[in-house]
Amino acid sequence: TAPPATSPAGGSTLTADEFRQAADAICVRYDAQLEALPEPESNADIPAYFRQAVGIYRSQLGELQGLTPPPELQPDYSAALGILQQIVSLAGNVEQRISAGEDALAVVQAATPELDALNAQADARAEALGLTECGSDDEETGTTTS
């Protein structure tokens, strides 16, 4: 039978294989949503793009937080979730600054190095966890408008 998509908080711990399958399935689903977002064609399009992307990232993070990995994967998974939280927070900050009237391209360009570094860290954690979809195809929020 197929593994559960998530384990309820405080629910049964997934095996390593079940955990990897569930996490990768979550990443595939949300990566598809990010890829479906229309690329901003002008500075005026950037706020709406970030608003949608941040919502997708928050939903993905929430779903990933619902997984209970086996004990041997917990340290790397906790670190990975912490990095993803930083990405969500930074992207949300970018969206807020743009919505408040700051120059969209300047804000995105200023945030790109930090977003890229965080994405690289998240990719490394995904690899350490043995994930094949999470971290495999960077949808780096900060670089979509270059």
Side-chain angles (χ1 to χ4, degrees):
T1 61
T6 62
S7 54
S12 63
T13 300
L14 298 171
T15 66
D17 285 343
E18 289 171 339
F19 166 76
R20 289 178 181 118
Q21 289 174 353
D24 276 337
I26 291 167
C27 289
V28 165
R29 198 166 55 254
Y30 286 100
D31 284 349
Q33 290 180 33
L34 287 168
E35 288 175 24
L37 290 178
E39 292 288 327
E41 294 180 16
S42 70
N43 275 5
D45 296 335
I46 294 174
Y49 175 85
F50 262 87
R51 202 168 16 263
Q52 292 174 308
V54 167
I56 292 168
Y57 280 125
R58 282 190 179 122
S59 295
Q60 180 181 21
L61 178 62
E63 203 166 323
L64 287 169
Q65 288 171 328
L67 297 179
T68 305
E72 68 271 16
L73 298 180
Q74 187 62 55
D76 277 328
Y77 192 56
S78 293
L81 290 177
I83 294 165
L84 292 175
Q85 181 61 56
Q86 290 177 61
I87 291 169
V88 168
S89 294
L90 181 57
N93 179 269
V94 167
E95 189 272 325
Q96 288 174 352
R97 290 176 59 195
I98 292 168
S99 293
E102 290 188 50
D103 179 75
L105 191 54
V107 172
V108 170
Q109 288 173 337
T112 294
E114 187 175 356
L115 283 169
D116 287 348
L118 288 169
N119 275 305
Q121 291 174 38
D123 291 350
R125 289 294 178 169
E127 185 176 332
L129 288 163
L131 301 176
T132 57
E133 297 297 330
C134 298
S136 67
D137 183 22
D138 287 348
E139 281 296 316
E140 297 178 21
T141 307
T143 59
T144 57
T145 58
S146 55

